Amino acid sequence: MTGLRSPVDRLPDEALLSGLATGDPDLAVTFVRRFQHRVFGVAMAVTGDPQLAEDIAQQTFERAWRHAQIYDSRRGSVATWLTTIAHNLAIDAVRARRTEPVAPEDLDTLLGVVTETPERWALADEASSQLRAALARLPREQARALVMAGIYGMTAQQIAEVEGVPLGTAKTRIRAATAKLRKSLASVRRGDHAE
C-alpha cells in the first residue's frame, strides 16, 4: 500500500491550516507531517542542537494552531509563514541561551545559515529575502559586526573584544553596515538595482 495517498494528503496547505485551526485531528496530523521535516530543519540550522530544535518545532506548530486564523495568503505561502515562525523562535532561543559572546568561527557558520543554505527559500517572504541578500553584499567584517549587534545584542565594546579591533573600528563597522543596508533596501523598494 506504499505510495497510496489519502484524500486528506492531497489537500492544499491552506485547507490543512484551516483544519488545524478548527481542531480537526486528521487535518492537524497531516499538516504536521507535511511540514515537520522542514520546520525541524530550519530550527536545527539555526540552533545546531537537536533537542532544542525539537522543542522549537513543537512551539512552531503550537503557535501556528493558535494563530492560524490570522494567516494571510497575500503575504506568502503557508510554508513561508510556518518556517518564518520556526526561524524567529529559533533565533529567540539562541539569544536566550547565549551568556557569552559568539566565537568568531561560529559567526561565519551563522552568516552561512542566514545567507547560503537550502533553507533560505523556506525561511522568508520577499522582505527577509531582500534583507539577506543585502547582508550578503556587505563586506564580511561589517556583516559580522552587524549580526553580532543586531542578532546577539552585543555592544560595540563586546564586538571590539571578540573581533580583536579597537572600539572605534567596531563602531564604524556597525554604522557603515547599517547605512549600506538601509541604502540597499531603500533602492530595492524603489525598484533600483542595488549593486
Side-chain angles (χ1 to χ4, degrees):
M1 296 260 174
T2 329
L4 293 179
R5 295 173 58 189
S6 73
V8 173
D9 290 336
R10 291 188 290 271
L11 287 173
D13 296 344
E14 291 81 7
L16 291 178
L17 182 60
S18 295
L20 180 71
T22 62
D24 182 298
D26 292 334
L27 295 178
V29 167
T30 303
F31 181 83
V32 171
R33 285 187 180 150
R34 184 173 292 177
F35 294 106
Q36 67 186 356
H37 294 294
R38 185 178 300 177
V39 167
F40 177 80
V42 168
M44 187 65 190
V46 174
T47 65
D49 178 341
Q51 183 60 47
L52 183 58
E54 284 180 22
D55 292 344
I56 289 165
Q58 182 175 349
Q59 291 171 25
T60 299
F61 288 112
E62 288 171 4
R63 188 166 290 179
W65 170 67
R66 285 194 316 268
H67 299 289
Q69 65 277 15
I70 64 167
Y71 165 73
D72 182 359
S73 62
R74 295 171 296 183
R75 299 188 67 199
S77 68
V78 171
T80 298
W81 178 71
L82 194 61
T83 54
T84 300
I85 292 170
H87 182 257
N88 291 340
L89 287 170
I91 291 293
D92 290 346
V94 169
R95 282 181 184 162
R97 290 180 120 192
R98 294 261 183 226
T99 56
E100 57 190 57
V102 179
E105 59 274 8
D106 293 340
L107 186 56
D108 285 330
T109 302
L110 177 63
L111 283 171
V113 167
V114 173
T115 60
E116 301 168 7
T117 67
E119 287 81 18
R120 176 170 96 180
W121 64 271
L123 286 178
D125 57 13
E126 187 177 337
S128 60
S129 179
Q130 292 168 351
L131 178 62
R132 278 197 310 279
L135 182 63
R137 287 191 295 272
L138 292 175
R140 197 77 173 160
E141 66 277 358
Q142 290 178 5
R144 289 171 56 86
L146 190 61
V147 168
M148 284 189 266
I151 293 179
Y152 290 105
M154 295 172 68
T155 65
Q157 181 64 48
Q158 290 170 322
I159 294 168
E161 291 168 8
V162 168
E163 296 290 280
V165 297
L167 177 59
T169 301
K171 288 179 178 180
T172 299
R173 287 178 180 177
I174 295 167
R175 272 194 308 271
T178 302
K180 288 177 183 176
L181 207 55
R182 280 188 185 133
K183 182 178 179 185
S184 178
L185 293 174
S187 68
V188 168
R189 284 189 202 105
R190 287 191 313 266
D192 300 343
H193 295 288
E195 295 298 323

